[in-house]
Amino acid sequence: MNSSTPLANMKVYKEVIRDDIVPLSARHHDRNTSEPISFFLSNLEELFSWKPTNQDAFNVAVVPVAKRHPPIESQRPKTLVCHDMMGGYLDDRFIQGSGAQQPYVFYHWQHIDIFVYFSHHMFTLPPVCWTNAAHKHGVCVLGTFITEWDNGAKMCESFLAGEESTYHAVADQMVRLAEYYKFDGWLINIENVLSPVAVSNMLLFLTYLKEQLHKRIPGGMVLWYDSIIHEGELKWQNELNDKNRNFFDVCDGIFTNYNWTEEHLQRMTEEPRRTDIYVGVDIFARGEVVGGKFDTVKSLEMIRQYGLSAALFAPGWVYECLEKEQFLQNQDKFWSLLESQLPIHSLCLLPICSSFCLGYGKKRYSFGEEEDSGPWFNLSAQEVQPIFSEVQPKDGKGGRVKSQICQEVAWHGGSSLLIEGSLPSGIDGVTVRLFSLHVPAPPKLLLALVYKMENSSNVAVSLELSTQDAKSCNVDSINALSVESMVQTLQPLTEPPLPVAETQQNHKHGWEQRYYEVHLSDCYINSLSMRFSQLTPQEEEETFTCRIGEIRVLDFSHPPSLPVQPTDLSLSHVRWLQNEETNQLFVSLTLHWSHSMENIRHFRVFCRGVTCRLPPPSRPPPPSRPHLLGLAHACVYRVVDLEVPDPCPSSHGQIEFAVQPISKEGFEPVPPLWGQLVLDYVKETQTEV
């Protein structure tokens, strides 16, 4: 039982502490903690009964698919990653994150086009954190519809052997799921025999599913897995041929089985839609396969030789089978071995802001200060990832430089970009590319850099911007970067411009902040790089270590404004718990608010101490410092097991919650522009004052 009244420009909710439990959907919340979780659907009954409720808000992705170049529609070989790990829905199911110390993360998004979340549940819905992270990098995300064994055969017959309305209803629900949760389509994997009637209707089902998906979801996609053949027999072909072409013809592509040989690839070279053929590569190298593990490049080289796309199945092998402590190094090694066969995609829209956070860390940092000392994991917090480069001297000449993620210290989030290199005597410097871009240049550009040098005072750091004349830069050209570009070495401003200066933080822990203003016209921005050079020429080779805490590239033609204040704050699903041994009181509740997500990076959710409010004429308690509860990536946040004291005798307890919006440009409004709400609570036996 509660009520709300305005008090000092805040909404005040009055709650009586009760033992009765407010019901929460077990599908949407962890049974033990009430944390919001991502979920799957196990059968047709669950599919047909699904409809969105107010508890589904946590699972809706808020990041649209970023524009990138070349687009996925271009006729070029593409790369799909199919994520299959230990049954799925591990720590990634916790929407607000977990305290996992060594979770699996993926961050080489610039090399891939499609991400499939795979499990053996009938309807695998991608956890929202994966959709947010992939979309941030312009990668589309597919769920999986799978049927297997005898039970799968019965399930297929139940909706494919009957009326058109039945399989239309299945397709309609699958489209609604993708549309509501904001993922981009489905991989269809039928691993059981089908009757002749079911095969015939399967083609009609796929045709209708693709038609509706394309109509409702821009860029929507239906892929078919190479399993059954035109007669309904379960018989993997390891290629596209006349036995499975009928399924390919009504889908956006086919994902082949893994036991192919070069002869299979040769037979597909004349296929007009050959870039819609995703040749399966099992990274675990199970069975008779080409490549796999750290030899996966052998598979890719052969696939690309015939102009085909590739589907990399379970690249989490580097996590599952190798040392967890060496995961980042092994992940970087795996993808670096494939770079020659994986073209880099370019980002196409501003702003570009990144603190290089992977979505997990040993600690959480804000402006270089430690704000949470424990391990954390939340892929929705992953920021746009750079190009990971390693430049080696050619013919024994030139400098060396390598970039990689480091979690020892950060400016924001859980990691920074570590750049290590050496400058031999007699060279001008060495350059490392950070981002590949394909952005129409605005008239005025602002770049912000946060960095620190760790072991050399004789190395100069500068930003380089590569631009290309707009007339020679065909937006649809895959080879745009082959046109000669102009490199501009930027000079920093003596002081930050407004409104940046208004949110400027003090230099701490050796971090330096620089700002660059650039005026451009009639050109495209191709890349952003960092250059390292010696301030004073040295006879000996000079090594250096630089950490980049954050880079922001902003359209400053019209200076950006701070985010507006969140409105309509409310709370629901309040649950009280008192520990019988310690008598400690806990509260869990869901906060809701309204705010446009168009220019939001995330929200920071705070609570301000828990105090007792005595009846008048007592003086109010002094204000306490806000305590960060966590980050929200949608306009909803579940507060779980917050410790609060019992209300003082003859008084109320009071908790103040605040929501701070952070813009994509990185601007953070001060407390008067935060959304605020107060929970005023009293024991059931007390009389309200």
Side-chain angles (χ1 to χ4, degrees), residues 229-415:
I229 58 175
H230 62 290
E231 296 175 339
E233 184 182 356
L234 180 60
K235 195 172 184 179
W236 300 273
Q237 298 298 292
N238 302 297
E239 65 176 327
L240 173 66
N241 58 30
D242 290 340
K243 293 183 178 181
N244 57 20
R245 180 176 296 278
N246 54 346
F247 302 109
F248 173 72
D249 288 343
V250 296
C251 290
D252 294 300
I254 187 170
F255 179 153
T256 77
N257 195 46
Y258 313 105
N259 303 109
W260 47 268
T261 64
E262 188 167 5
E263 287 73 22
H264 290 98
L265 305 183
Q266 289 172 340
R267 289 197 289 265
M268 296 186 285
T269 53
E270 300 304 316
E271 167 58 44
R273 289 178 56 201
R274 66 179 177 274
T275 59
D276 293 333
I277 303 171
Y278 296 83
V279 180
V281 179
D282 181 6
I283 308 303
F284 278 74
R286 290 163 285 205
E288 295 294 324
V289 298
V290 176
K293 301 181 179 179
F294 283 128
D295 287 328
T296 297
V297 68
K298 294 179 181 178
S299 318
L300 271 183
E301 285 174 345
M302 196 176 293
I303 292 166
R304 298 305 197 215
Q305 179 184 341
Y306 295 99
L308 301 165
S309 294
L312 306 182
F313 183 76
W317 165 80
V318 298
Y319 178 85
E320 290 191 58
C321 297
L322 305 179
E323 291 294 329
K324 300 288 192 297
E325 292 77 11
Q326 298 297 314
F327 165 60
L328 293 182
Q329 293 89 330
N330 288 324
Q331 175 106 312
D332 290 342
K333 175 183 176 181
F334 176 85
W335 289 96
S336 68
L337 292 170
L338 306 182
E339 281 181 358
S340 63
Q341 306 302 318
L342 300 175
I344 292 173
H345 298 78
S346 302
L347 302 172
C348 292
L349 293 175
L350 298 180
I352 295 168
C353 302
S354 182
S355 65
F356 311 102
C357 180
L358 293 181
Y360 84 108
K362 299 175 182 178
K363 302 174 183 178
R364 192 193 298 275
Y365 291 84
S366 179
F367 294 103
E369 292 285 340
E370 181 184 318
E371 76 175 356
D372 194 340
S373 60
W376 64 277
F377 168 58
N378 186 344
L379 275 175
S380 286
Q382 186 180 97
E383 304 228 320
V384 173
Q385 294 299 299
I387 298 168
F388 297 101
S389 303
E390 184 167 6
V391 178
Q392 295 288 354
K394 294 181 180 179
D395 302 322
K397 299 178 181 179
R400 175 188 61 82
V401 66
K402 179 180 180 180
S403 63
Q404 60 188 330
I405 292 295
C406 178
Q407 295 189 300
E408 295 307 314
V409 68
W411 179 250
H412 283 309
S415 48

Side-chain angles (χ1 to χ4, degrees), residues 44-45 122 152-163 166-167:
L44 290 173
E45 290 75 18
M122 188 172 186
K154 293 176 184 176
M155 200 75 73
C156 287
E157 296 299 321
S158 71
F159 81 94
L160 289 172
E163 298 295 321
T166 305
Y167 60 78

